[in-house]
Amino acid sequence: MSFQAPKGVSEYVPPRSATLEAAREAFAGSARLACYGYLETAVFEDTALFVRGVGESSDVVRKEMYSFEDRGGRELTLRPEFTAGVVRSVLEHNLHKGALPVKVWTAGPAFRYERPQSGRYRQFYQFDLEAIGTEDPAVDAETIAVAWDAYAALGITRLTLLLNSLGDKVCRPVYREALQKFLRALDLDAETRERIELNPLRVLDDKRPQVRAQLANAPVMTDYLCEACAAHHEVVRGLLTGLGIPFTDAPRLVRGLDYYNRTTYEFDHALLGAQSGVGGGGRYDGLSEDIGGPPLPGIGFAVGLDRIVLAIESERGAAAAHPGTGCQVFGVPLGERTHRDVLTLVTALRRAGVRADMAFGTRALKGAMRAADHSGARYAALIGEAERSHGTVRMKDLENGEQRDVPASEATAWLIERLSS
Ligand code: AMP
């Protein structure tokens, strides 16, 4: 019997996994430069946290959660998103009692029961960043800039930043009612009608042409913003312009999770078709209170690392996209007794910080040299019986084919010098 991963699980194996690592590292690097700390947090949480935090009317909570009862009778759910768990963790560890805002990032798998397709999985990978404890619009712009710089570091260019404001508890209810009134008059199916009552903003997100056509004159939130929200939004827009970050006003942009208010944004990639969202975020000023904490305004984003890999592949071509292992030296033992010498050499190189691999098993010269070429290394270091008895190592430059014999005692230093020149 052979097994396969469960349906919809996204997996990465070399060399493609290196691109996933690079994507995570680019965002982590950008977050570290902005002084965000690393948080490692629960992969599963009390189900009630997501019901209260993400919102009962969201699709995620209604249809997509992996919920289970554990052996102790606890109702648990694999995290469908990060923010509720991050805020829970910040409160539990009292980070909000120190300096504000609390700035943290985390990364790992998230789980949603979705219809799997390219760019949409049941187990997928996110990088998540949150700034908790300030209403300052500068932090809204900061989170966007951190993401923007990470995409740029990855060489992703076909990116559009969509920006909107969803108002707050003063102005959103007024808008919600106006929108419901507009939507109720349209010709829509039963499920969409139900959505009008539960979560009308989500109807704006409907991708079907017959629905879209009817939404052309729908009221937009930006026309309903109260003075405070409108001012906040203007400051964010001005800050982004000042930072040289282009954005598109997207008055229809809503997000799948209920807790968002004020600043809301999404990063879209031009080449990814239906699953074009490579990241998104926004403010969630009421979330802390929703899950039993003190008032603690926050903002953050999550990016889909799977989709970033797809974006990199679509811009660069799959073959060029993956950096590989970055092996620098490849040891080639010729003859059984030489394995020990080669292992000693590659271990010394590794201890000196050089990425080194070697041929294993008994391979003839041709097969071993093919492995050396395949490794992507710059140098092959050969030790056969002759080299062994002369106390030398034969170095082959795999770029130009030049060879030379170097005393074994100087081999490590010789390679390090060549590699750094
Ligand atoms: P969300 O948590 O829904 O705001 O999503 C944030 C980002 O995660 C999106 O922009 C996507 O890039 C990614 N994402 C969300 N759901 C999935 C999924 N099912 N499969 C792959 N990526 C996803």
Side-chain angles (χ1 to χ4, degrees), residues 72-405:
R74 297 173 194 88
E75 294 293 338
L76 300 171
T77 293
L78 300 180
R79 63 183 172 204
E81 61 98 43
F82 281 71
T83 308
V86 169
V87 174
R88 191 270 310 139
S89 180
V90 163
L91 295 173
E92 183 170 340
H93 296 282
N94 287 318
L95 300 186
H96 61 298
K97 296 190 177 151
L100 295 177
V102 177
K103 303 209 304 185
V104 287
W105 68 271
T106 182
F111 307 86
R112 293 182 195 171
Y113 192 80
E114 305 216 56
R115 195 164 58 79
Q117 53 199 287
S118 174
R120 185 171 291 283
Y121 313 103
R122 290 179 175 173
Q123 174 177 319
F124 56 100
Y125 304 92
Q126 285 189 336
F127 173 94
D128 180 83
L129 174 142
E130 313 288 351
I132 299 165
T134 177
E135 271 191 297
D136 187 341
V139 85
D140 302 32
E142 173 178 284
T143 62
I144 292 172
V146 167
W148 186 260
D149 289 352
Y151 290 116
L154 288 165
I156 294 175
T157 59
R158 305 290 304 274
L159 199 66
T160 308
L161 166 61
L162 303 173
L163 184 71
N164 194 17
S165 171
L166 293 178
D168 64 6
K169 47 183 186 296
V170 176
C171 52
R172 185 145 53 158
V174 183
Y175 169 66
R176 192 174 187 271
E177 218 162 280
L179 180 64
Q180 280 176 321
K181 207 165 145 208
F182 173 87
L183 294 173
R184 285 186 196 122
L186 302 181
D187 176 21
L188 298 165
D189 58 279
E191 198 187 331
T192 313
R193 294 197 154 278
E194 193 186 325
R195 185 169 283 169
I196 295 173
E197 305 313 318
L198 266 174
N199 197 346
L201 272 68
R202 285 295 279 170
V203 179
L204 294 178
D205 223 12
D206 205 305
K207 304 276 186 299
R208 294 171 296 176
Q210 72 274 24
V211 178
R212 291 209 81 91
Q214 297 188 70
L215 294 174
N217 297 317
V220 292
M221 183 67 230
T222 27
D223 290 337
Y224 285 77
L225 292 179
C226 61
E227 224 170 280
C229 285
H232 186 100
H233 193 49
E234 270 322 297
V235 174
V236 174
R237 294 176 80 254
L239 290 170
L240 291 175
T241 304
L243 293 173
I245 300 175
F247 59 89
T248 304
D249 286 310
R252 300 279 170 86
L253 178 72
V254 296
R255 305 201 28 83
L257 316 176
D258 283 0
Y259 49 63
Y260 286 107
N261 69 317
R262 288 197 170 170
T263 306
T264 304
Y265 54 91
E266 191 169 293
F267 296 97
D268 262 24
H269 193 268
L271 305 179
L272 293 189
Q275 314 305 329
S276 61
V278 287
R283 269 201 172 271
Y284 45 84
D285 293 344
L287 176 59
S288 168
E289 287 148 288
D290 287 347
I291 62 170
L296 210 54
I299 180 156
F301 67 76
V303 299
L305 296 173
D306 307 87
R307 294 195 192 163
I308 291 176
V309 171
L310 292 171
I312 292 171
E313 287 172 344
S314 69
E315 287 200 29
R316 250 175 267 166
H322 309 305
T325 56
C327 184
Q328 295 169 291
V329 175
F330 195 86
V332 176
L334 296 171
E336 237 165 68
R337 291 187 305 171
T338 58
H339 277 73
R340 202 177 120 172
D341 304 85
V342 172
L343 183 61
T344 303
L345 174 62
V346 294
T347 302
L349 286 165
R350 291 165 186 166
R351 286 175 180 161
V354 175
R355 293 184 298 277
D357 197 2
M358 66 179 279
F360 292 102
T362 46
R363 293 209 206 178
L365 178 62
K366 209 165 148 200
M369 287 314 292
R370 209 178 302 126
D373 280 331
H374 191 73
S375 74
R378 173 71 198 271
Y379 290 99
L382 288 80
I383 304 181
E385 288 303 334
E387 284 78 17
R388 202 167 170 265
S389 59
H390 295 136
T392 58
V393 178
R394 173 153 298 185
M395 304 297 183
K396 181 169 182 187
D397 183 329
L398 295 172
E399 260 171 33
N400 60 21
E402 272 171 26
Q403 303 200 41
R404 84 185 277 166
D405 291 333

